[in-house]
Amino acid sequence: MKKFLMTGALILAASAAAETAVAAEFYVVRDASTKKCTIVDTKPTTTTTTVVDNGTFKTRTEAETGMKTMKVCTE
């Protein structure tokens, strides 16, 4: 019985960790004063930075690739 409970707890912990990794989002944002684009892992809540175009990505690598193609970020 203990083995089953331990196994269940491990499975639950592993699935929670995997769910957190999947739920991560990255945003390409542009600073209003410097006009520079950066990648952040939390959605901006201030008015000094804004999400660029469709700047929401599931991985940092996707965000980096997407930022290279955004005209406002390459000027």
Side-chain angles (χ1 to χ4, degrees):
M1 184 72 155
K2 278 186 175 180
K3 287 182 183 180
F4 290 118
L5 291 175
M6 293 286 283
T7 302
L10 288 174
I11 291 172
L12 182 62
S15 66
E19 196 172 307
T20 301
V22 171
E25 287 187 329
F26 294 88
Y27 303 90
V28 175
V29 297
R30 185 172 186 229
D31 187 292
S33 61
T34 65
K35 309 290 190 224
K36 291 188 178 186
C37 294
T38 56
I39 299 169
V40 296
D41 60 358
T42 56
K43 192 169 186 173
T45 57
T46 64
T47 58
T48 58
T49 58
T50 56
V51 177
V52 178
D53 295 334
N54 187 18
T56 305
F57 300 91
K58 293 188 186 283
T59 66
R60 185 168 194 82
T61 304
E62 288 177 1
E64 290 169 353
T65 303
M67 187 169 77
K68 291 176 185 174
T69 63
M70 294 176 181
K71 185 175 183 176
V72 74
C73 293
T74 58
E75 295 176 341

